[in-house]
Amino acid sequence: GQQVMQIPQYQHVQEGEDFTTYCNSSTTLSNIQWYKQRPGGHPVFLIQLVKSGEVKKQKRLTFQFGEAKKNSSLHITATQTTDVGTYFCAGQEYGNKLVFGAGTILRVKS
Amino acid sequence: NAGVTQTPKFQVLKTGQSMTLQCAQDMNHEYMSWYRQDPGMGLRLIHYSVGAGITDQGEVPNGYNVSRSTTEDFPLRLLSAAPSQTSVYFCASSYLPRGVEQYFGPGTRLTVT
């Protein structure tokens, strides 16, 4: 069945450093979503990517969808302590259910 | 709007006990789903529903039962709790089954001893 792999599992950065998490699917996706979960909280939707090669920005966050629609990345520029949490990608095959990656835990040291 | 609500927030069960986790949404969403979250494993789909009266199995349905008698409510029943069901459970809803944002509830932390 469809699998979504996410790396790294864990990243600890100094405040001000950049951070990137990568997501890879075993199959071609119709769309990919990104969620953020603060410690002790619930996942909150960040963005959805649909088009091949799409790049979207939200302030310091940049999201990319690969040309083959099988991989995606989330890059945070100049991390802040408010960025701490777990970032999940979730891929959806055409006509199929959403499959979540295992998540990347981000810790920011001030 | 309250969004997606879940009760209880915390629960401790003994092995073999049964219980129902409640989930409700007030956004008139047709699609609702249950996930469990375990360390290092992300969110895994247990059961989902595309509308009142319609339910289907997700990736890890064994040991769980659901029903959807109304658009608003989607309870998850643990039939005979096992330690392997110790997890955090999230209910989610969306107005379509795919291609749109999922709204998650605050979660229920369940421990089975």
Side-chain angles (χ1 to χ4, degrees):
Chain A
Q2 180 192 356
Q3 287 188 318
V4 175
M5 282 75 70
Q6 196 173 347
I7 57 168
Q9 185 177 356
Y10 182 84
Q11 183 107 38
H12 196 168
V13 301
Q14 190 75 33
E15 188 174 21
E17 289 182 339
D18 292 356
F19 160 77
T20 306
T21 173
Y22 300 90
C23 190
N24 290 287
S25 170
S26 56
T27 57
T28 303
L29 302 170
S30 65
N31 65 79
I32 194 157
Q33 298 177 356
W34 286 92
Y35 291 80
K36 177 183 178 181
Q37 183 180 26
R38 294 184 188 276
H42 58 277
V44 174
F45 176 82
L46 292 176
I47 208 161
Q48 175 172 273
L49 305 171
V50 178
K51 298 178 185 173
S52 167
E54 188 169 18
V55 178
K56 285 189 176 180
K57 292 187 185 233
Q58 287 180 352
K59 296 182 181 177
R60 293 178 294 104
L61 278 60
T62 301
F63 304 84
Q64 291 188 311
F65 201 8
E67 294 290 341
K69 300 184 75 173
K70 295 181 77 171
N71 61 287
S72 181
S73 65
L74 157 59
H75 179 82
I76 302 178
T77 304
T79 55
Q80 299 174 359
T81 54
T82 52
D83 294 325
V84 298
T86 303
Y87 292 85
F88 292 100
C89 62
Q92 198 154 37
E93 282 182 337
Y94 294 94
N96 218 328
K97 296 177 280 295
L98 205 59
V99 175
F100 281 80
T104 296
I105 300 170
L106 173 63
R107 292 288 176 258
V108 180
K109 189 164 53 178
S110 60
Chain B
N1 280 358
V4 181
T5 58
Q6 290 183 239
T7 55
K9 283 189 167 43
F10 302 94
Q11 183 71 49
V12 179
L13 290 178
K14 293 190 189 309
T15 297
Q17 287 184 317
S18 62
M19 81 157 294
T20 300
L21 308 185
Q22 301 292 345
C23 173
Q25 53 89 12
D26 62 359
M27 297 175 281
N28 205 31
H29 286 169
E30 290 294 328
Y31 185 80
M32 295 185 74
S33 52
W34 276 101
Y35 293 88
R36 59 176 290 172
Q37 182 176 25
D38 303 292
M41 301 191 74
L43 293 149
R44 291 183 293 167
L45 183 65
I46 304 171
H47 284 286
Y48 66 97
S49 168
V50 298
I54 307 168
T55 63
D56 206 346
Q57 296 181 350
E59 182 187 352
V60 287
N62 292 342
Y64 307 95
N65 223 341
V66 291
S67 60
R68 183 96 181 269
S69 55
T70 66
T71 300
E72 294 77 22
D73 300 297
F74 191 43
L76 178 73
R77 276 180 286 279
L78 277 71
L79 309 172
S80 176
S84 61
Q85 293 178 304
T86 293
S87 187
V88 181
Y89 291 85
F90 288 102
C91 178
S93 76
S94 59
Y95 75 90
L96 290 175
R98 55 190 64 89
V100 296
E101 171 182 358
Q102 300 272 313
Y103 293 82
F104 284 83
T108 295
R109 186 173 293 274
L110 175 69
T111 302
V112 183
T113 61

